Amino acid sequence: MTEKTDNQRALGRVLRSSTASFTAGCRTLEDDLPVFGALVQAERRDGAAVYGLIYDVRVDDDPFVRQLIAAGDLSEEYVQDQRQRRQVPVEVNVLVVGGRDRSGQVYQYLPPQPPATLSWVTLCQPDQVRQFGQRLDFLRTVLDAADAPADELAAASLRQVAAATGSPGDSGPARRYLEAAGRELARLLSREPARLNGILQRMRP
Amino acid sequence: MLELNRLTGQVADLAQALAGQRSDQRQRTERARQQLRLHAQVTEELRHKIDVARRADESWRGADPLGDRLDQRIQTGPQTEPATLVAVDGSQIYPDTHAIALYYLTNVGAIVLRQGSGAAPFTSTAPLLRMANDDPLEEQDHDRVDADEVNLRRDLREMETLASLARRQREELGGDMGHLVVALADGPLLPWLPQRMPDKEQRERVRRFTAPLEDLRASYAAPLGYVDRPRSANVLRLLHLAQLPLEDISKERLRQRNDYDGLSDAALFQDLRPGQRTALFAATSEINENFDGAGHRICFCYMNVAPEPDEADRIVEPDEKNAVMARVELPVWLAADPGRLEAALAAVWADCRLLHYPYLLTRAHELALVTRQERAALEQMLHIEMMRRGLRSEESPKANTKRTVGGR
């Protein structure tokens, strides 16, 4: 990750935002590229935050990078220069699924305000993921998302919450969580059995 | 608007003319190469001719050979030791009487790369905003800063930044003089001073431009000015001089049209193999004499910076069409240290491998560049600050309308 704030792993900062989604810009670091489906938060100074799920990560190229790739072997200094020093950030698109108010209360509906430009965007810690995943209201927002690969995102986010809940096993808390999520999905997608089946297949850890 | 359909015939004619010119230039370049072989030895007579030519025509821009052969070719070896490369480039916004205020800006981009460290290079930019007329913040007063003056101030800032970064690198190396620090500038090391500049001012300029070179010498850095696709013809003028009988050397004869007009030294030496360079020369000019007086006479050579062909391609001789010619300028004190010079050239050649141009200069340029959007944002900031002070700030109607119709 590029920087750290309050012991949390910072992805980057908000580039642009709207009520339903925002885009964070971050510098590339090979091992720490943001993960599809991860729960992140855009923080406010007053302790409130907007929660969202990563649904797209873009590493844009430019003619310079293309030329370097065509040139073949690159020394490590050149690679690090391109990754860390050039103003070609990795763009991380985030679907807003809820937030946290100043009192620390987590909610799963669209926040009253989008995150401000240059707000820190950090990866949520496992306990935050668990706390957020206790309710499943966010699934409707995900399934209705027009710009995101909704089914893949729903499955990936549920796998993530399950992993934060406990180790996988036939009767463990992760398993129980996925079963509960499956039932909620069945309710939401009662008229779309094929779609439901597709998501359930992808939820397997 | 450009009516492209009305240009089709002219484009074809131009291409035809270029093809004819290229063929003519190839033949004349070949003749020049024959003459180079004939006059390759630097004789006492040639040195005498150079002196006579310089006296006959002060503005004769020939080449003064440092060695005893004009056709010498020196193969740069592969780089053996990692070096620290420092590179700078500059950009500017010229004063524009149609803009919201008469200002200019220079921006210097710099990059420092330590080969073998595996670490990201250090990068920086340093913008400087100034009024374009009598500027109380500047040391010197000038009635008006024009584009030439902005160029000179930018070039000076580039050299000062280069010297400062090289000095810092040497300090960070704990003064280890065994580690090579190459200081790479974009373009010639000799500034271009307008003819109209009075002697006193020219002396002052030379003092200011040679100060960073003095600093670089003290830091034991290797400064190189890199000129891509050089158009200069100093060696060809020397060749023309070599062919003139001594008694015929006069201002008129030196300026007369000759077989080498329109050719370049780069074409003359385009048959250099990858990594090969020419002998060293010094440009004959008044400014270089002044630099010489300060101990920093500027020399140059031409070099083919194309990468060495891969093993698989070595059976085929490198074609001169694939040569990538650069003119490399350096102070005479670096020329007097052949080991360090060759190591510096090897480091620059290695840095050219990816792009056929120094990677570091590409990055320094990118760092220095002021985009149109950035300029617009800067003028917006300036506009707000001027309004706060009750100043009227508007573009001229001409600039405004040009932007309106040009924005399509």
Side-chain angles (χ1 to χ4, degrees):
Chain A
M1 296 302 147
T2 56
E3 319 218 17
K4 295 186 184 225
T5 57
D6 300 325
N7 297 322
Q8 288 182 314
R9 303 210 297 168
L11 278 177
R13 291 179 184 270
V14 172
L15 272 177
R16 55 183 172 272
S17 65
S18 69
T19 305
S21 67
F22 62 87
T23 300
C26 65
R27 294 185 293 173
T28 6
L29 281 182
E30 193 174 32
D31 300 330
D32 293 324
L33 274 175
V35 177
F36 176 79
L39 185 69
V40 298
Q41 56 179 332
E43 299 167 349
R44 286 170 54 112
R45 280 170 188 265
D46 59 7
V50 174
Y51 281 0
L53 298 169
I54 294 176
Y55 70 86
D56 194 23
V57 180
R58 291 176 62 96
V59 184
D60 277 337
D61 71 344
D62 65 6
F64 194 2
V65 172
R66 283 169 182 265
Q67 215 174 342
L68 290 177
I69 289 169
D73 286 347
L74 295 176
S75 76
E76 190 58 23
E77 296 85 34
Y78 294 147
V79 173
Q80 292 309 321
D81 181 42
Q82 292 292 321
R83 286 188 180 158
Q84 296 186 39
R85 298 287 186 256
R86 291 192 69 228
Q87 292 179 334
V88 186
V90 173
E91 286 196 8
V92 180
N93 290 308
V94 177
L95 178 74
V96 174
V97 288
R100 188 184 67 231
D101 63 22
R102 271 185 284 185
S103 65
Q105 189 69 36
V106 173
Y107 56 86
Q108 293 193 353
Y109 47 82
L110 291 183
Q113 288 177 317
T117 309
L118 295 180
S119 299
W120 278 111
V121 179
T122 57
L123 270 181
C124 289
Q125 300 296 298
D127 58 328
Q128 291 174 310
V129 174
R130 274 196 301 276
Q131 186 190 16
F132 183 80
Q134 281 173 5
R135 293 187 61 86
L136 292 161
D137 301 341
F138 75 97
L139 283 174
R140 178 176 290 283
T141 310
V142 176
L143 294 175
D144 288 347
D147 296 327
D151 297 1
E152 290 283 358
L153 185 61
S157 60
L158 290 170
R159 283 200 307 269
Q160 185 204 180
V161 179
T165 305
S167 58
D170 283 348
S171 57
R175 175 79 182 190
R176 288 199 298 278
Y177 178 78
L178 289 175
E179 285 171 356
R183 284 193 292 277
E184 176 65 10
L185 283 168
R187 193 178 68 77
L188 293 170
L189 297 173
S190 58
R191 295 184 183 192
E192 297 177 82
R195 189 179 177 195
L196 171 65
N197 191 45
I199 298 174
L200 293 175
Q201 294 288 334
R202 291 175 174 86
M203 277 167 55
R204 289 181 181 155
Chain B
M1 66 183 288
L2 189 58
E3 290 184 77
L4 293 169
N5 57 319
R6 299 180 69 170
L7 285 168
T8 47
Q10 293 179 57
V11 168
D13 291 347
L14 180 64
Q16 183 63 35
L18 285 170
Q21 185 192 49
R22 191 67 56 87
S23 162
D24 168 63
Q25 285 179 343
R26 247 197 312 270
Q27 289 169 17
R28 289 193 292 130
T29 300
E30 199 44 56
R31 289 202 289 275
R33 286 177 184 170
Q34 286 168 9
Q35 289 300 322
L36 183 70
R37 286 190 284 274
L38 281 174
H39 297 275
Q41 188 65 40
V42 179
T43 59
E44 280 306 312
E45 186 192 3
L46 181 62
R47 294 207 180 279
H48 183 52
K49 281 182 176 177
I50 294 170
D51 286 341
V52 173
R54 288 163 76 168
R55 283 198 301 273
D57 184 358
E58 280 183 356
S59 59
W60 182 68
R61 296 283 177 268
D64 190 355
L66 268 63
D68 57 7
R69 288 199 69 84
L70 302 183
D71 65 346
Q72 191 183 12
R73 272 140 205 258
I74 297 157
Q75 180 66 47
T76 302
Q79 197 183 354
T80 52
E81 295 286 332
T84 294
L85 305 181
V86 183
V88 294
D89 196 10
S91 68
Q92 68 292 313
I93 298 174
Y94 291 120
D96 179 0
T97 50
H98 295 284
I100 60 168
L102 200 55
Y103 76 93
Y104 72 94
L105 175 132
T106 53
N107 193 29
V108 177
I111 180 166
V112 180
L113 183 144
R114 285 194 177 175
Q115 292 177 326
S117 69
F122 164 81
T123 57
S124 69
T125 61
L128 190 68
L129 183 67
R130 289 287 185 258
M131 281 167 63
N133 46 6
D134 295 326
D135 185 347
L137 297 177
E138 281 289 335
E139 280 179 26
Q140 286 201 321
D141 278 335
H142 290 276
D143 290 331
R144 178 76 169 271
V145 179
D146 59 10
D148 287 344
E149 183 60 31
V150 171
N151 289 341
L152 274 173
R153 292 181 185 196
R154 181 205 60 216
D155 291 350
L156 181 61
R157 290 194 66 215
E158 287 178 38
M159 287 306 293
E160 288 172 343
T161 305
L162 196 61
S164 157
L165 286 172
R167 186 176 56 235
R168 196 181 313 160
Q169 286 307 305
R170 186 60 75 199
E171 286 165 4
E172 286 180 13
L173 288 163
D176 173 12
M177 298 301 189
H179 185 96
L180 180 67
V181 176
V182 180
L184 196 57
D186 182 44
L189 292 183
L190 272 179
W192 179 84
L193 296 182
Q195 295 265 336
R196 63 175 189 276
M197 194 170 275
D199 284 353
K200 187 181 166 201
E201 196 180 332
Q202 184 160 150
R203 276 197 299 278
E204 175 57 19
R205 295 293 177 130
V206 168
R207 187 192 66 74
R208 292 177 76 171
F209 269 95
T210 51
L213 286 171
E214 193 58 50
D215 205 0
L216 284 159
R217 176 154 61 176
S219 310
Y220 205 61
L224 298 174
Y226 187 96
V227 185
D228 184 44
R229 202 179 274 192
R231 300 280 308 145
S232 47
N234 306 72
V235 179
L236 284 166
R237 286 190 203 102
L238 174 65
L239 213 50
H240 174 233
L241 177 73
Q243 292 170 251
L244 286 180
L246 185 60
E247 57 278 12
D248 283 2
I249 297 173
S250 65
K251 193 172 187 172
E252 292 70 34
R253 277 305 294 273
L254 289 170
R255 294 186 177 192
Q256 229 169 30
R257 291 194 67 78
N258 63 68
D259 200 30
Y260 305 138
D261 285 346
L263 302 185
S264 68
D265 290 350
L268 177 69
F269 293 118
Q270 196 149 358
D271 55 350
L272 290 168
R273 289 181 55 84
Q276 262 188 349
R277 71 166 176 89
T278 64
L280 291 168
F281 302 89
T284 60
S285 67
E286 192 185 351
I287 176 103
N288 208 8
E289 282 176 24
N290 292 333
F291 267 56
D292 193 14
H296 301 286
R297 190 185 196 203
I298 301 300
C299 312
F300 67 87
C301 64
Y302 295 94
M303 183 170 175
N304 177 4
V305 297
E308 191 72 66
D310 293 336
E311 286 293 334
D313 299 334
R314 285 221 176 133
I315 39 172
V316 185
E317 275 296 296
D319 192 325
E320 69 174 79
K321 277 189 295 194
N322 299 327
V324 182
M325 298 301 296
R327 175 176 162 127
V328 182
E329 297 199 352
L330 52 132
V332 68
W333 44 265
L334 182 58
D337 188 349
R340 204 148 58 97
L341 172 61
E342 294 312 319
L345 290 173
V348 171
W349 185 31
D351 195 49
C352 287
R353 188 183 62 79
L354 295 173
L355 307 170
H356 295 190
Y357 180 78
Y359 175 90
L360 259 74
L361 285 182
T362 309
R363 288 286 287 117
H365 171 77
E366 187 178 45
L367 288 161
L369 191 70
V370 180
T371 65
R372 193 185 295 186
Q373 292 89 335
E374 287 164 344
R375 178 180 174 164
L378 168 68
E379 295 203 346
Q380 184 65 27
M381 285 165 64
L382 188 57
H383 177 69
I384 291 167
E385 288 300 323
M386 288 170 73
M387 283 211 315
R388 277 192 184 144
R389 286 156 182 78
L391 297 170
R392 188 163 171 255
S393 68
E394 282 175 2
E395 289 180 323
S396 72
K398 178 179 173 177
N400 191 279
T401 51
K402 277 174 94 171
R403 194 157 44 78
T404 307
V405 298
R408 283 190 298 177

